[in-house]
Amino acid sequence: MVSTPTRTTAAKPAVVGNPAKNPGGQPAAKESAAPREASAEALPAGKLRRWYRGFWSALEGTGKSRNGSTYYLILGSTLALTAIGIMMVLSASSVEAIAAGESPYSAALKQGMFAAIGVFFMLVLSRVNVVWLKRFAWPALFAAMILLVLVLLVGRSTLGNQNWIDVGPFTFQPSEAAKLALALWMATVLHRKAKLLTHSKHALIPVGPGAVVIIGLILAGNDLGTAMIVMIITAAALFFAGVRLYVFGIAGIVLAAGTLILAITSPNRVCRILSWTGQTCADGSDVNYQSTNGLYGLASGGWFGVGLGQSRQKYSWIPEAHNDFIFAIIGEELGLVGTVVVLVLFAILGTAIYRVVAAQKDMFHRVLAGTIMVWLLGQATVNMAVVTGLAPVVGIPLPFISYGGSALLMSLCAIGVVLSLARAQMAPSLQSKRLFGLSLPRRTKSRGTGAGSKNPAPKNPAPQSPAPHNPARKRK
């Protein structure tokens, strides 16, 4: 039986010339692969990839000389978005506050207070080893479920959604805390089952039932928008854990069918969809007026806006303008330049977090950081799509900018977790060991003695015995 040759005779001398190094003819394969790689790098996509890698290498440094630029990009963009949010909340809420007989600074002061608390917890979490948070995964999930049940029992309903619990003069939204708790819990569970995730039943249990309970409790409060974000968070956790893609296809079909059923069974949601497509509702009302006036605000802003504090749409044309439609006020008062600045800040934040996610080798770190990235950027994308008329109106706030203490506090805490991972990539000499004047424990870098190591070093190692005395050495 004669086999058909797979290599040309011209390639044989290259193999014979160095038979000891590779008798199987692999050098010829490498030689043929090199031109293919060179041609791929010569393509526009290859040049863009090469430029991207060179840019980040020059910006971050390499190896142990990383300068922490990713850490400061995340921190700077987050603080900038938060500052813009406080400023725009003051501008957008002052008119309605005066009309209600309140101080025009009331909403902005509350937002600033929650921002200060959130920045404090963000900085504290940035100094905490993320592995230490695993012990809070299950308690945080159960606490989130209990709070969501309490919302249904003693919560306050506003604009058809029952999402808030009154705590003295403030209100708390447990569904925002449930996002971070669910992300932490899913990262912990998927990390423990890393070797079994090739099987669908292990990938979906218990992550699937846990997420379904959270989503069901949120939907019981008639908040479809937040439930959609939790669905995206769940899909992101499974994706970064490496679950097979056909699972997402099946889950997508199920979720699409469930969302369609929920939309059809609610007259309010059907009316919103009809208004979004340009039709009128059965009762003749137009519930899309909020989005329509938001587009008017964006259009009237022009290139540079009508001026900070000079919005016309906030005079009750856009109800609750400082909440979900604050992006329209930004476009009206600061113009296209202001909206582009916000978009660039979110792009910087997303790119920097992606750099942190891509550098993680541990599944727990990768799933947690990736889920937070998709949560914040996905929520921002949906909010902007609603304001610009690309999606039907759903109640989703713009992260860091929309009014809401619970959302801002949880978003800043989530950024603190990512900052902890980004800080671990910095050069050891740049990792500050003090926070607010307090000394913090050092990160252990040695092999086998890290925070997540299974074989930590003993607390009291046995003292080493001194070397035996050697008289011959002394005589020499």
Side-chain angles (χ1 to χ4, degrees), residues 227-243:
M228 290 172 56
I229 299 300
V230 175
M231 294 177 191
I232 294 175
I233 291 173
T234 305
L238 295 174
F239 176 80
F240 285 105
V243 176

Side-chain angles (χ1 to χ4, degrees), residues 92-165:
S93 64
S94 58
V95 173
E96 293 187 359
I98 293 174
E102 301 176 356
S103 170
Y105 306 101
S106 58
L109 288 175
K110 288 183 179 179
Q111 188 78 350
M113 182 189 67
F114 278 103
I117 297 173
V119 168
F120 173 79
F121 281 108
M122 178 185 70
L123 295 177
V124 170
L125 288 171
S126 69
R127 299 304 200 275
V128 173
N129 196 327
V130 176
V131 178
W132 186 73
L133 299 176
K134 286 183 179 180
R135 65 191 69 186
F136 297 104
W138 285 94
L141 181 70
F142 288 133
M145 291 180 179
I146 293 172
L147 290 174
L148 290 173
V149 172
L150 287 177
V151 168
L152 301 177
L153 299 177
V154 297
R156 178 168 56 88
S157 179
T158 302
L159 300 177
N161 293 348
Q162 190 164 345
N163 287 343
W164 294 269
I165 295 178

Side-chain angles (χ1 to χ4, degrees), residues 60-68 425-428 430:
E60 296 178 334
T62 56
K64 296 183 179 179
S65 63
R66 289 182 179 269
N67 53 22
Q425 300 174 9
M426 298 168 59
L430 297 178

Side-chain angles (χ1 to χ4, degrees), residues 304-353:
F304 302 102
V306 298
L308 186 62
Q310 303 301 316
S311 169
R312 277 73 167 174
Q313 299 299 321
K314 66 184 179 182
Y315 284 84
S316 298
W317 290 104
I318 302 179
E320 302 287 332
H322 55 291
N323 286 335
D324 302 338
F325 274 76
I326 197 169
F327 189 69
I329 305 301
I330 294 175
E332 183 182 8
E333 294 188 351
L334 304 180
L336 180 64
V337 174
T339 58
V340 169
V341 168
V342 173
L343 288 173
V344 169
L345 287 174
F346 273 112
I348 293 173
L349 179 64
T351 305
I353 296 179

